[in-house]
Amino acid sequence: MIIGENERDLERVFDAFLAAMEKFDKKTSAQTQRKILREAIAPAVRDLRKATRTEYTSRTGRSRRSVRTTVKASKKRPGIQYATYGWSNKGIQPIYYVNRKNRRRERPKPATYIGVWQDLGTKSIQGHHIFEPQWAAHKKRIIDALTEKIQAIMKESKISK
């Protein structure tokens, strides 16, 4: 069939394409996007936990548990989800101690202590910089996993031949 030979043939092609696009839209719902993003970055999160445990030997439990994944909807671009991972203080209980002046103080939470001070460094603390190499090592893998999942959805919807 040659497209443009008559209008009915062209109309049938567009109807088939629109039907396939409806299926594709359902397959790329927000929930499906979140699931795909979580699966794609899961190995990177596991390796960041392992690197955190090996790099920072003291107080490792709290810092390892602070490695989190966040998948949210974009506010600027509706319908699009995004994922981030790194150290987070969400859900981490505070630990208090009494300092030399008998004042009750809260210890810094792990995302602040490990993720900011120890990884990036401060004026008096030399940074370890473990996040950037972890991201660089997994960037290609994450892109490949996302591409593979999107292509699988497109094949199921028969968009690409």
Side-chain angles (χ1 to χ4, degrees):
M1 166 178 81
I2 299 169
I3 295 176
E5 207 171 276
N6 71 35
E7 289 177 25
R8 287 188 190 149
D9 292 339
L10 184 61
E11 206 171 306
R12 273 190 226 125
V13 170
F14 280 129
D15 287 340
F17 178 73
L18 290 174
M21 283 303 288
E22 280 180 24
K23 290 179 190 171
F24 181 72
D25 194 36
K26 287 176 189 170
K27 299 254 185 217
T28 56
S29 67
Q31 189 174 12
T32 307
Q33 287 180 40
R34 283 191 206 112
K35 182 181 174 191
I36 290 170
L37 288 168
R38 271 192 214 102
E39 288 173 4
I41 65 174
V45 173
R46 259 184 261 120
D47 284 352
L48 182 61
R49 275 194 190 107
K50 188 188 289 182
T52 301
R53 186 183 306 138
T54 56
E55 187 69 34
Y56 308 110
T57 53
S58 64
R59 299 190 193 109
T60 306
R62 278 171 49 100
S63 60
R64 182 174 42 89
R65 284 191 298 272
S66 74
V67 176
R68 300 262 163 87
T69 304
T70 305
V71 181
K72 292 185 176 181
S74 174
K75 291 179 182 174
K76 292 182 180 180
R77 299 177 70 188
I80 294 177
Q81 308 295 314
Y82 70 92
T84 60
Y85 71 95
W87 295 279
S88 169
N89 285 331
K90 186 177 181 183
I92 302 290
Q93 297 299 317
I95 294 177
Y96 296 99
Y97 70 99
V98 177
N99 69 3
R100 289 183 219 147
K101 296 179 182 179
N102 274 342
R103 291 188 185 151
R104 189 171 186 239
R105 297 285 184 209
E106 182 182 338
R107 288 199 192 280
K109 291 191 176 177
T112 308
Y113 181 72
I114 298 282
V116 179
W117 299 349
Q118 291 285 333
D119 194 51
L120 299 176
T122 64
K123 186 177 171 183
S124 58
I125 299 173
Q126 180 69 32
H128 290 261
H129 303 290
I130 65 168
F131 185 78
E132 195 173 332
Q134 285 292 321
W135 168 247
H138 287 280
K139 185 178 178 182
K140 177 118 174 70
R141 255 192 246 158
I142 291 170
I143 291 170
D144 291 344
L146 289 174
T147 306
E148 184 180 308
K149 294 282 186 182
I150 291 169
Q151 286 175 347
I153 289 172
M154 290 175 76
K155 282 180 184 173
E156 284 178 23
S157 300
K158 298 178 182 169
I159 290 177
S160 64
K161 296 271 180 177

